[in-house]
Amino acid sequence: MERSDRERDVPMMTTSERITATEPVIEMVHARKAFDGRTVLDDVSLHVQRSELAVIVGPSGSGKTTLLRALGLLTTLDAGYLKMNGDLHGYRSGKGVPVPLSERALVRHRRNVGMVFQHFNLFPHLSALANVTLAPRKVLGRNREAAEAEALVLLTRVGLRDKARAFPHELSGGQQQRVAIARALALRPEVMLFDEPTSALDPEMVSEVLSVMGELAADGMTMVLVSHEMGFARRVADKAIFMDEGRIIETGRPDDVFLNSKEPRVRQFMEKILH
């Protein structure tokens, strides 16, 4: 019996030998997700190339955060699947249909994707240094000395070496978010996901977080960002993705999407945001 088109899309066997220079680092294929009968992701497909910064924009409730959480394997899709470097990511092939991995098996896959949220979610009883070293020690099994040495390098990278022994309540919002970025980098992820990382910050603190993110982009980190920071996105992003009602309406270069879109819904949204 002939397999359906959907089944033919599913990789039955994948190996790293098939990865090429043009293979997307991370790819979402025909993703669908609903909560309480409400569709949040509606047949969403996207790909992000190595060293690319993709920014996702759109109105509230359009599915941006759910998409990001799905990429980070924090939300299981109802249909569709993910791939990383050509291999199934967070899923296994089962009779032609991708099946989500068990929670235990997902831990290994999640190491490849770092995520920074709107709220910093630092452990309040741990210093900045301890927050950054916790995952490498618990997840990767590194000893304290090695984990702390690397954490200090990361804290230096985000401009906070002198705050290594400070606790979250002793840090500004911008400093806490930079610690959160260092913590996400500590697992050496291939992809960094940012969900409105500046939305909880006072205006004067936004620039220090965007500066760190800009440096990561310049260093070639593959990044997916949900943000309303249009100036930053136009300056740094390689790709803009516009979402509305759970669907991707348009994908293109930031200026093409933000300033010269041919989609009426995108133009309507951008006129409110940019003016």
Side-chain angles (χ1 to χ4, degrees):
M1 182 174 66
E2 185 176 354
R3 296 167 63 199
S4 69
D5 289 342
R6 184 61 172 276
E7 287 177 325
R8 282 196 292 268
D9 286 340
V10 177
M12 297 301 296
M13 291 185 65
T14 56
T15 70
S16 58
E17 295 175 350
R18 291 177 28 243
I19 297 173
T20 69
T22 59
E23 189 88 61
V25 174
I26 194 164
E27 185 176 10
M28 177 177 278
V29 183
H30 298 306
R32 295 185 182 275
K33 183 67 181 180
F35 294 106
D36 298 324
R38 175 177 172 267
T39 299
V40 182
L41 297 179
D42 186 3
D43 196 23
V44 171
S45 294
L46 62 83
H47 65 269
V48 182
Q49 301 295 138
R50 189 168 305 282
S51 299
E52 188 172 56
L53 193 166
V55 60
I56 303 172
V57 298
S60 297
S62 60
K64 303 185 301 296
T65 292
T66 300
L67 186 155
L68 211 67
R69 289 180 61 84
L71 290 175
L73 301 179
L74 299 178
T75 293
T76 300
L77 298 173
D78 297 331
Y81 57 94
L82 300 173
K83 294 164 69 178
M84 177 170 278
N85 294 323
D87 291 342
L88 284 173
H89 180 59
Y91 297 79
R92 60 179 175 82
S93 185
K95 297 183 179 180
V97 179
V99 178
L101 297 176
S102 67
E103 183 63 28
R104 182 175 181 179
L106 280 175
V107 172
R108 179 173 57 85
H109 285 232
R110 287 185 182 131
R111 297 175 191 173
N112 296 320
V113 181
M115 191 159 184
V116 178
F117 301 90
Q118 296 179 29
H119 301 288
F120 326 122
N121 297 327
L122 299 179
F123 292 104
H125 63 290
L126 298 178
S127 68
L129 182 66
N131 265 282
V132 177
T133 61
L134 186 62
R137 293 180 61 200
K138 298 295 184 181
V139 177
L140 302 182
R142 294 190 184 129
N143 62 49
R144 180 186 295 273
E145 183 178 355
E148 288 190 351
E150 185 164 353
L152 288 173
V153 171
L154 291 172
L155 288 171
T156 300
R157 186 175 186 182
V158 300
L160 291 174
R161 172 69 179 251
D162 62 330
K163 299 293 185 180
R165 303 296 176 182
F167 288 84
H169 73 272
E170 299 174 308
L171 302 173
S172 69
Q175 290 171 334
Q176 290 185 60
Q177 192 62 295
R178 284 186 281 158
V179 172
I181 292 173
R183 179 179 61 183
L185 290 170
L187 289 177
R188 301 178 183 175
E190 285 199 61
V191 178
M192 284 285 287
L193 309 177
F194 294 87
D195 184 15
E196 295 280 8
T198 61
S199 64
L201 301 178
D202 292 333
E204 63 269 23
M205 298 177 186
V206 170
S207 62
E208 62 188 61
V209 174
L210 293 181
S211 177
V212 170
M213 293 170 60
E215 291 174 4
L216 289 176
D219 289 343
M221 172 62 73
T222 305
M223 301 162 64
V224 183
L225 164 67
V226 171
S227 179
H228 290 298
E229 296 290 342
M230 298 300 180
F232 175 78
R234 286 182 61 192
R235 187 173 68 253
V236 179
D238 302 294
K239 175 191 295 181
I241 299 167
F242 185 90
M243 291 190 69
D244 191 29
E245 297 183 347
R247 299 182 68 89
I248 291 179
I249 305 300
E250 186 173 16
T251 299
R253 295 172 56 184
D255 277 353
D256 291 339
V257 174
F258 298 164
L259 304 179
N260 302 303
S261 176
K262 297 179 181 179
E263 298 289 339
R265 180 66 184 97
V266 179
R267 291 200 306 271
Q268 180 188 44
F269 178 83
M270 290 304 168
E271 285 173 1
K272 294 179 180 179
I273 294 295
L274 298 177
H275 296 95

